[in-house]
Structure formats: C-alpha cells, structure tokens
Amino acid sequence: MKLLLLPAVFALGSATHSGRSSARQLATFPGFAENIAVRHSGDILVTSLTTSSIQLLDPRVSNVTVALPPIPGANGISGIVEVEKDFFAVAAGIWNTTERRETNASVWMIDFRQSPSTRPALKKVVNIPETTALNSFTSIPGSSIVLGSDSNVGAIYSIDIGRRTYSIVNQDNALAPPGPAPSLGVNGIKVYGSYLYFANSGTGVLGRFPISRTGLATGPVQPVSQFNGSTYSGPDDFVIDEDGTVWISFHPNTIYKVDKDGKQEAVVSGDQILDPTSVTLGRGGEKGKRVLYASVNLLGEQIIGGVAEIEI
Ligand SMILES: *[C@@H]1O[C@H](CO)[C@@H](O)[C@H](O)[C@H]1NC(C)=O
Ligand SMILES: *[C@@H]1O[C@H](CO)[C@@H](O)[C@H](O)[C@H]1NC(C)=O
Ligand SMILES: *[C@@H]1O[C@H](CO)[C@@H](O)[C@H](O)[C@H]1NC(C)=O
Ligand SMILES: *[C@@H]1O[C@H](CO)[C@@H](O)[C@H](O)[C@H]1NC(C)=O
C-alpha cells in the first residue's frame, strides 16, 4: 500500500545506499507498483494501485513488460496471491491514493492454466462492497481460502475462492490504523505454518497470531519486531522464507531482514530501492531462492513503478 506521497526527491546519481546488498532495476512501467508475485515459470506479476492491468515480466529480459488485459470496473489492484499453480487471486477496486481508501472492491481470479501468458482468463469471484481498503492477500495452503487485510478497519477477511463467499474472521486493535485516513493499519499479511504474520504500517508492529484452517484467530497477537511506523513511513508487504526469516519492505527506502528473534538488519536501502511496497522470493531451484524481487516506485512528476532484484 502506498505510503509515501509526492513530492519525493528522486536524487539521480547521488547514491546514498547502505545495507549489505545492492539492487538492480529490472523494469519500469507507468503506475504505482503495489504488490508482486512470481509464477512457477519465474515470470513476475506486479499489481498497481493506479492501473487496472497487471504487469508481466521475465526477470531474464530487461525492460520488457506486458500489460495484461485490464480488470473491468477498477482503477487499481492491490493484493495478489497464487491459490494453485498458475491460478492467482487479486483484489481490485476504485482507489483514491490520496486518501488511500477505495470503493467498489472486488476479488478476481487470473487463470494462466489454459491460456497464453499474456492473455490469462479473468473472472470475478465476488464483490466486497463493505471494505474501503482491501490491501494484501495471502492464501491458506491446500485450501481455496484467501485471507485479505483491511487497512482501514483493522480486519482480516477470509475469501473462499471456490464458494465465492467472504467474511471477516478477525478484527483487532493490533490491526487497526493509529489515525484516520490516510493512516494505514494492517498492511502485508502472510500465512506461515499455523500463524498469520502481519505488518501494521501506522504503528510499525510486525506481529503474528495463530489461526485455524479457515483463518480464524485461535490465540492472541504476539509481537515479532517493532519498526518506526507513521503515516508516511513504515513497514509494508513482506515474504517469509523457509527458515522463518522475514524480508520486509519499509517506506521510504529500505528492505529489512528480520530474524526469528525480531532482530532487524537493513539488506538494501537508499536511492536504489525507492518506495518499496512489496517483496517476494524468486522461484526455481537454489538460485531462485537467493533472489528477492521488490516492487518499487520512482515518485516524481509522473509515478513510475518498477521491479528491483536483490541478491541475498
Ligand atoms: C530500461 O529503461 C530505462 C528507462 O527508459 C533506461 O534508463 C534503462 O537504461 C533501461 N535499462 C536497460 C537494461 O535497458
Ligand atoms: C461502484 O459502486 C457504486 C455503488 O454500488 C455503483 O453505483 C457504481 O456503478 C460502481 N462503479 C463501477 C465503476 O462499477
Ligand atoms: C481523493 O481524496 C481526496 C482527499 O479526501 C479528495 O480531495 C479528492 O477529491 C479525492 N479524489 C477523487 C478522485 O475522488
Ligand atoms: C526509530 O526512530 C528513532 C528516532 O528517529 C531512531 O533513533 C531509531 O533508530 C528508529 N528505529 C528504527 C528501528 O528504525
């Protein structure tokens, strides 16, 4: 979810990066890059809060992106998650990126299974008219259930993609924003083992709580690590690797690694990782696992999204 607003100074050439890795820009495209997922093939999908088309790119080919067919009735897309092989669910809506709130939210499936990569089948799953900030998606493995964060009311939706039903399965103070719009509460979420991990952008909390097979909270929130959160600076989406290490994007310009004890370390920061909104791991063998892809944004007169590759 967008945290930084104009004007951001994009200081070309005056790199001030710290951290132990460096980022390589793979591609840029018009729009505010919001969330990122990787297909089995290794291709990258990026959603944008300011366009209704998902961008598809092959990380082995620099600067070539394909805009997938637009999702009707939307001006932006936030969460994206793979539910089964080559079958993704996304959150679409009509966003106001100043308020960081939306209307007309709906869940769609993007199905590559029977279709060419550049023209997947699009199908609406369900409308969720009640939400004003359906943000990040994660799935419960082995089920057709997608969990979605609501950054406005501080809630978790459970959406059954097969049955085309949804309900709020958890609402908690720890998930709520600290102030009114444009403040954001729960943002990135990820199922890991029997826990749902979450980042609250406004309060800076990275936390987790145990969940049932349908996403219901079965225990209290446990803090994992505390960041400095505020309206325009804070943690966003993240990924958890098989060792339990969290790799998290942080506005305005850092990717942090958080170990199981909650210790934070900047992996990359500065001009080469501007406004990272989301981070995911590469796929495909040992090499894929050592690469992070981050959705980033060059905020200037025009909003340009991009994808950065970071070797870890
Ligand atoms: C990608 O495009 C950007 C912007 O047009 C350009 O600055 C950059 O050199 C290109 N990179 C490659 C690898 O072609
Ligand atoms: C958004 O929802 C409102 C209220 O239901 C409806 O009137 C309007 O047509 C919808 N807009 C779009 C683009 O679907
Ligand atoms: C978005 O929200 C801002 C702040 O509330 C408001 O001024 C603006 O008119 C809204 N934009 C649209 C397109 O509704
Ligand atoms: C939080 O902000 C304070 C004051 O600016 C700073 O000293 C501290 O290092 C920050 N902590 C983190 C985790 O960034």
Side-chain angles (χ1 to χ4, degrees):
M1 168 61 55
K2 179 173 185 169
L3 279 173
L4 190 69
L5 289 177
L6 309 179
V9 182
F10 178 37
L12 272 168
S14 61
T16 56
H17 96 271
S18 57
R20 56 193 183 91
S21 296
S22 60
R24 189 166 73 93
Q25 193 90 9
L26 294 182
T28 58
F29 38 81
F32 187 87
E34 171 65 10
N35 240 302
I36 190 163
V38 180
R39 293 179 58 197
H40 280 258
S41 63
D43 285 355
I44 297 173
L45 299 169
V46 190
T47 65
S48 166
L49 275 190
T50 58
T51 65
S52 55
S53 289
I54 293 166
Q55 301 287 334
L56 171 79
L57 63 115
D58 178 345
R60 291 153 293 214
V61 183
S62 282
N63 265 354
V64 179
T65 59
V66 176
L68 299 184
I71 291 183
N75 71 357
I77 306 174
S78 48
I80 181 166
V81 69
E82 190 175 46
V83 181
E84 32 180 286
K85 187 178 177 187
D86 268 340
F87 179 82
F88 291 79
V90 298
I94 301 178
W95 280 92
N96 180 323
T97 53
T98 309
E99 288 184 320
R100 300 169 176 166
R101 296 296 184 268
E102 68 176 328
T103 61
N104 299 69
S106 56
V107 179
W108 288 70
M109 52 200 194
I110 316 288
D111 190 350
F112 293 95
R113 292 173 299 185
Q114 313 281 332
S115 315
S117 284
T118 55
R119 294 203 68 82
L122 304 182
K123 195 171 167 214
K124 188 189 275 188
V125 177
V126 68
N127 290 322
I128 308 188
E130 301 90 338
T131 182
T132 60
L134 188 61
N135 192 331
S136 181
F137 273 4
T138 183
S139 65
I140 298 185
S143 79
S144 61
I145 293 178
V146 166
L147 301 178
S149 58
D150 182 318
S151 306
N152 181 44
V153 300
I156 305 295
Y157 275 88
S158 174
I159 302 141
D160 190 320
I161 300 295
R163 293 186 178 158
R164 306 174 68 185
T165 56
Y166 66 89
S167 61
I168 285 183
V169 282
N170 190 20
Q171 193 162 5
D172 193 294
N173 276 343
L175 304 174
S183 180
L184 296 169
V186 59
N187 197 327
I189 54 172
K190 203 67 74 186
V191 172
Y192 185 78
S194 54
Y195 287 90
L196 185 73
Y197 281 70
F198 68 91
N200 184 319
S201 294
T203 65
V205 171
L206 174 67
R208 66 174 195 175
F209 52 87
I211 55 168
S212 72
R213 295 284 305 153
T214 54
L216 282 166
T218 56
V221 166
Q222 306 164 3
V224 173
S225 196
Q226 179 69 51
F227 289 90
N228 284 337
S230 70
T231 303
Y232 296 115
S233 172
D236 201 330
D237 279 276
F238 57 89
V239 67
I240 308 177
D241 69 19
E242 49 192 29
D243 300 329
T245 302
V246 177
W247 306 84
I248 187 164
S249 55
F250 184 91
H251 296 267
N253 60 5
T254 308
I255 304 283
Y256 283 99
K257 173 185 178 175
V258 184
D259 71 16
K260 274 183 279 194
D261 300 325
K263 189 166 88 50
Q264 301 165 4
E265 183 190 343
V267 176
V268 57
S269 66
D271 289 352
Q272 48 178 335
I273 195 81
L274 291 174
D275 245 330
T277 45
S278 185
V279 59
T280 192
L281 287 159
R283 291 172 81 160
E286 284 306 305
K287 177 162 188 328
K289 287 182 191 150
R290 294 201 305 269
V291 167
L292 290 177
Y293 298 116
S295 47
V296 295
N297 288 286
L298 316 180
L299 299 180
E301 239 165 82
Q302 286 176 315
I303 297 176
I304 306 289
V307 174
E309 181 186 77
I310 303 124
E311 290 201 19
I312 52 173

